[in-house]
Amino acid sequence: MVEGTDLTGDEWTLASFTAAIHRGGVGMWAWAPEARLARLDGLCMAFWGTTEPVVSIDALFAKVNAEDRPKMMLDWFASATSPKAYSFDFRIGEDPDVRWISARGIGGDEGRVGAWIQAIFLDITDRKRAEDAERLMTLELAHRVSNMFTVARALTNIVAREAESTASFAEDLSRRFHVLHEATTLATRSHGLEQGDVRLRDLAARILSPYLQGANIAVDIEDAAVAAPDRVDDYAMIFHELATNSAKYGALANGGTLNLVGRVVDHALTLDWTEGAAPSGSAKADGTGFGSRLLTQTIERSLAGQFQRTIDDAGLHFRMIVPIR
């Protein structure tokens, strides 16, 4: 005997064994094919939401998720005759309270004790939820990457048409790609915090940060005004276009005032971008260039919203209204 192994209280009992496997999410059950009955231990009773240790298998089948029920029943009945080891997964209940269960055992005569075929149920809910979350994240990432390439290709084509020189083309395109990078960084950081949406106040502040010196900028966007991860790029491009135009023709060109206000009312987001008068001698945007086309495409087509822009001697007022999905 190895020294120190003569300990007391180390005997396995049925109670201690049952408690140990229950802590691991494993329940014991059996079923009688001829009688169409199932016998459940305490944990399996909790799985199925019943207080009866012996129940009809048809009553259990009725609790199985409708999408999983046909295949689950075929696999269940196959265990009565097939001598092979089996494992099949199914859901009990409906979302959001669904429970994932894996039935495992040996079928046929090898798994039979008298009239009962014995097996286990294993609670795999946490694993399935983790797999679903990973699958959704992968699909979303693929979607976002595809969208970014589409945006990058469109920007490259349009900027190339508008550019007056190679240098201006490179500078403009680089600036716009930087905006996309900023938006992606915010969205990724938001995912890390398990908060899928990005606050528009944070996004606007990030994009306006290069203009803070020498300008009077006030951003007042309430917390409820957010962008879903797949819409962050849209809002980033909108803020970038407005800031770029302001830096060329408006308040940001020479220490003017800019107020950005965002409110959510009646399932709609309203953003008001208001600038003071442009400095004397500054050119004025005519509202027909690439920026205007980009705003129209982004707000009306991508976000299903609408916008109005007014430019006069008092300055500029831009308002966009976007439905909240």
Side-chain angles (χ1 to χ4, degrees):
M1 176 181 291
V2 178
E3 184 178 353
T5 59
D6 53 341
L7 304 176
T8 59
D10 60 345
E11 298 85 0
W12 280 103
T13 65
L14 178 59
S16 63
F17 173 76
T18 302
I21 66 170
H22 280 184
R23 286 192 293 270
V26 180
M28 295 179 290
W29 66 288
W31 74 290
E34 291 77 14
R36 297 182 69 86
L37 294 176
R39 186 164 59 194
L40 311 173
D41 72 358
L43 185 59
C44 289
M45 290 164 59
F47 289 167
W48 289 98
T50 181
T51 58
E52 300 295 329
V54 178
V55 295
S56 162
I57 61 172
D58 296 298
L60 298 184
F61 293 158
K63 295 177 180 285
V64 176
N65 186 278
E67 293 182 1
D68 299 344
R69 190 180 301 136
K71 183 178 185 306
M72 176 266 198
M73 291 176 62
L74 289 175
D75 291 335
W76 182 303
F77 287 122
S79 70
T81 56
S82 176
K84 300 179 181 179
Y86 62 85
S87 174
F88 56 90
D89 303 340
F90 58 92
R91 290 167 291 178
I92 298 175
E94 306 290 338
D95 290 334
D97 300 320
V98 68
R99 185 193 297 270
W100 274 98
I101 298 297
S102 182
R104 303 180 184 182
I106 300 293
D109 292 339
E110 290 191 45
R112 184 184 290 264
V113 177
W116 300 90
I117 298 176
Q118 297 181 333
I120 65 170
F121 282 138
L122 176 63
D123 187 346
I124 58 172
T125 303
D126 290 343
R127 192 195 79 195
K128 285 291 188 178
R129 287 177 177 170
E131 290 175 354
D132 287 344
E134 182 178 359
R135 187 179 305 109
L136 287 175
M137 184 174 295
T138 300
L139 291 174
E140 182 178 324
L141 177 60
H143 177 70
R144 286 183 59 80
V145 170
S146 177
N147 282 350
M148 288 183 66
F149 276 117
T150 300
V151 171
R153 186 164 54 248
L155 284 176
T156 301
N157 291 335
I158 296 175
V159 172
R161 291 197 299 267
E162 300 289 329
E164 298 179 355
S165 67
T166 302
S168 65
F169 166 77
E171 180 182 358
D172 192 9
L173 189 62
S174 176
R175 186 168 59 248
R176 296 180 192 279
F177 282 166
H178 177 70
V179 170
L180 294 180
H181 172 70
E182 293 287 307
T184 302
T185 299
L186 279 178
T188 303
R189 183 175 301 170
S190 180
H191 275 304
L193 297 174
E194 297 183 356
Q195 299 173 349
D197 296 334
V198 173
R199 291 186 300 188
L200 292 181
R201 180 176 66 245
D202 297 339
L203 184 61
R206 180 73 63 87
I207 292 173
L208 289 171
S209 59
Y211 307 99
L212 291 177
Q213 186 174 358
N216 183 11
I217 300 175
V219 177
D220 180 18
I221 303 178
E222 63 182 35
D223 288 345
V226 297
D230 62 346
R231 290 291 177 259
V232 174
D233 291 346
D234 291 330
Y235 286 101
M237 295 306 299
I238 293 168
F239 290 147
H240 173 71
E241 284 305 318
L242 293 173
T244 299
N245 288 337
S246 181
K248 289 180 179 179
Y249 316 111
L252 299 183
N254 189 22
T257 60
L258 165 63
N259 292 311
L260 177 57
V261 178
R263 296 290 184 265
V264 176
V265 179
D266 295 334
H267 305 289
L269 165 66
T270 299
L271 286 171
D272 286 294
W273 176 291
T274 305
E275 301 181 27
S280 177
S282 296
K284 292 186 178 180
D286 60 10
T288 62
F290 160 67
S292 295
R293 296 199 302 273
L294 181 63
L295 289 174
T296 299
Q297 179 173 336
T298 304
I299 297 173
E300 296 183 356
R301 298 181 185 177
S302 182
L303 298 177
Q306 55 185 323
F307 73 97
Q308 292 180 337
R309 177 170 49 188
T310 303
I311 304 174
D312 53 31
D313 292 338
L316 176 144
H317 182 214
F318 174 91
R319 166 173 285 189
M320 59 177 284
I321 301 176
V322 175
I324 297 177
R325 303 178 184 179

